[in-house]
Amino acid sequence: MLSLLKTRRGEWMARILVVDDDEVTRGIVAEFLSGQGHECTLAKSVAQACVHLRRQRFDLTISDFNMPSRNGLELLRQVVRNWPDNSFILISGQTTSRLRRKALALGAVACVAKPFKLQDLLDCVEYALQARYSLRSGQRTIILRRPEDTRNAVTPAFS
C-alpha cells in the first residue's frame, strides 16, 4: 500500500526520514517539509536511521553525507538494498562532481549541496515523489528538469 498521498491542492504528501548529525539542519529541513504537509521523522546517525527504517515505511530519505562513524552513501546502499521503495536524496557540504555521480549511480534521486535554498530542496522532494508515484503506479513518465543554479547546487537524476 502506498503511503504517498495527494492533497486536494494536488501536492504530494509523504513520510520522510531526515538524517543529519547537525541538529539545526535536521530541524530546519523537517520543520520546512512538515509545513509543506509531509510527515517527518528525524535521525542523527545512520544507525538511528536504520532503526526507524525497520520500524516504519518511508517514501523518502534525505540524508547528510558526512556524519560520524558511517556516511550517507553507506545509508544509501542499505536503503537501496533493503527498502527499494524508499527514494533517497543526499545532501552535503562537500558536494563534488565525483560524489554527485557516485550518489546518483548508487540510486539517489538527487544530490544537494549545502548551503541550499529550502525551495531547491523542496523541488527535489517533489521530483522524487512524482518519480516514485509514477513507478509504483506503473506509469511511464519522463521528468526532465535542469538545475537553474549555475553552480549545480542541486543535481537531480534525469530519467
Side-chain angles (χ1 to χ4, degrees):
M1 176 180 221
L2 281 175
S3 57
L4 190 63
L5 302 171
K6 217 172 184 181
T7 66
R8 283 176 239 174
R9 294 183 307 186
E11 299 164 344
W12 298 99
M13 293 175 35
R15 288 191 188 122
I16 301 173
L17 178 61
V18 180
V19 187
D20 198 318
D21 60 317
D22 180 59
E23 185 177 353
V24 173
T25 302
R26 194 172 62 235
I28 289 171
V29 169
E31 184 177 333
F32 176 72
L33 293 175
S34 293
Q36 302 299 314
H38 301 292
E39 178 184 313
C40 294
T41 300
L42 307 177
K44 62 182 177 183
S45 67
V46 171
Q48 193 176 54
C50 289
V51 169
H52 288 299
L53 286 161
R54 285 186 204 100
R55 290 182 180 163
Q56 182 178 355
R57 175 179 287 173
F58 292 94
D59 303 301
L60 175 65
T61 297
I62 299 172
S63 176
D64 186 25
F65 168 68
N66 192 16
M67 294 183 283
S69 76
R70 293 166 52 196
N71 67 40
L73 288 180
E74 293 174 78
L75 179 59
L76 171 57
R77 287 184 186 100
Q78 288 190 21
V79 167
V80 168
R81 182 181 22 204
N82 298 313
W83 301 281
D85 289 342
N86 185 331
S87 295
F88 197 97
I89 294 173
L90 186 72
I91 57 176
S92 176
Q94 305 171 349
T95 304
T96 62
S97 59
R98 183 174 181 213
L99 176 60
R100 285 192 300 267
R101 282 193 308 270
K102 179 130 184 149
L104 297 175
L106 288 172
V109 173
C111 188
V112 181
K114 289 180 181 179
F116 52 83
K117 295 176 184 171
L118 289 171
Q119 184 58 52
D120 289 341
L121 180 63
L122 182 61
D123 290 345
C124 287
V125 166
E126 289 172 354
Y127 168 81
L129 298 177
Q130 283 180 333
R132 181 182 185 277
Y133 179 77
S134 295
L135 290 173
R136 289 291 304 260
S137 66
Q139 298 175 9
R140 173 108 170 104
T141 58
I142 298 175
I143 302 168
L144 295 175
R145 189 170 92 32
R146 300 275 180 215
E148 294 179 13
D149 188 341
T150 57
R151 292 175 289 128
N152 277 337
V154 180
T155 307
F158 299 104
S159 56

